[in-house]
Amino acid sequence: METIQGRTSHELNFNGLTERLADYNQILLDLGTGDGRFVCRMAGQQQNRFFIGVDACRENLRANSRSKLPNALFVIASAQALPQELNGLASHVTINFPWGSLLESLLSSEDSWVSRLLSVTRPFAGMDIHLNAEALVTAGWTLESGADQIEGIVNAAGWKTKSRSWMDTHLLCSFPTTWAKRLAFGRDPRAIHLNVQKG
Ligand SMILES: C[S@@+](CC[C@H](N)C(=O)[O-])C[C@H]1O[C@@H](n2cnc3c(N)ncnc32)[C@H](O)[C@@H]1O
């Protein structure tokens, strides 16, 4: 699979990845990681866990992927075609403020991509999805109806809801992603946090 560090791409095969992960029991996958700020922050704070940020767009990852954190890795891939090397690895998945095709996939009940997430996750893996109003409105939904749709799809794919809560400006401000900060000071600072667990 293609990994990125600054401007440089590296191919990392299954054996190379296994070596990188050897000292870690918990592997967290951040899909649509954007500029990678969340992965760097969490990897710095939780050094006993390994964080993998995945994004289809390499440009925004140039700065943060230079980080020398031993427990962080950035992969260039579409969330709908996750590399085989990641199969069965993730103990937890985060999807923070998805837009574009990532959000469309979450919303689509026809070919539930969320059920395919089963292949990269371990039994009883958790998943946190943060959804914001503007992205859902742009996709043709309201925040509530879009969150209902996504919750229904993830539930049908075997992920049980543990909690669902609102995020306000204050919570968005304190949430460690670049997009959360932009939303907090934007026109519509409303978001919903959905926490689910694979059954
Ligand atoms: C609104 S940004 C959020 C970035 C980051 N999670 C944050 O909170 O700062 C959405 C990200 O999803 C990525 N994205 C959209 N569709 C994707 C897909 N199909 N596969 C992987 N990444 C995708 C975009 O490139 C973008 O970086």
Side-chain angles (χ1 to χ4, degrees):
M1 64 185 179
E2 181 187 356
T3 66
I4 191 163
Q5 193 165 26
R7 294 193 168 274
T8 314
S9 286
H10 302 276
E11 269 303 306
L12 188 64
N13 63 19
F14 180 76
N15 290 343
L17 181 63
T18 306
E19 263 175 46
R20 285 285 308 265
L21 301 179
D23 294 333
Y24 301 91
N25 285 326
Q26 295 193 49
I27 317 292
L28 291 93
L29 201 57
D30 185 41
L31 299 179
T33 198
D35 64 2
R37 175 188 169 132
F38 179 76
V39 163
C40 287
R41 173 72 73 89
M42 302 309 281
Q45 286 175 355
Q46 303 179 25
Q47 293 172 14
N48 58 338
R49 295 175 167 173
F50 197 100
F51 292 83
I52 302 176
V54 178
D55 206 286
C57 171
R58 70 194 65 231
E59 300 306 321
N60 295 339
L61 273 168
R62 300 267 188 239
N64 285 324
S65 68
R66 279 199 198 100
S67 133
K68 295 273 193 289
L69 286 160
N71 59 333
L73 181 70
F74 293 99
V75 174
I76 302 299
S78 155
Q80 293 86 346
L82 290 170
Q84 299 284 328
E85 289 88 338
L86 298 177
N87 279 359
L89 276 188
S91 51
H92 199 91
V93 175
T94 47
I95 306 178
N96 296 324
F97 313 110
W99 70 11
S101 66
L102 181 53
L103 183 59
E104 292 295 342
S105 287
L106 279 167
L107 287 163
S108 169
S109 53
E110 279 171 21
D111 176 22
S112 176
W113 164 75
V114 175
S115 64
R116 291 208 294 281
L117 265 186
L118 295 176
S119 59
V120 292
T121 48
R122 298 179 193 167
F124 308 111
M127 179 157 65
D128 284 295
I129 305 175
H130 294 90
L131 301 162
N132 68 287
E134 209 171 326
L136 279 165
V137 168
T138 304
W141 300 76
T142 64
L143 176 57
E144 293 86 345
S145 68
D148 287 347
Q149 169 79 356
I150 290 169
E151 187 176 1
I153 289 171
V154 298
N155 290 164
W159 301 77
K160 294 196 182 89
T161 302
K162 307 293 279 183
S163 67
R164 172 172 163 159
S165 55
W166 286 90
M167 294 179 84
D168 59 11
T169 304
H170 178 72
L171 272 176
L172 284 167
C173 263
S174 60
F175 194 78
T177 81
T178 297
W179 209 255
K181 305 275 179 295
R182 281 197 202 169
L183 293 171
F185 298 106
R187 273 181 302 163
D188 192 352
R190 292 178 304 136
I192 285 179
H193 172 201
L194 195 57
N195 173 250
V196 296
Q197 188 176 28
K198 196 171 164 180

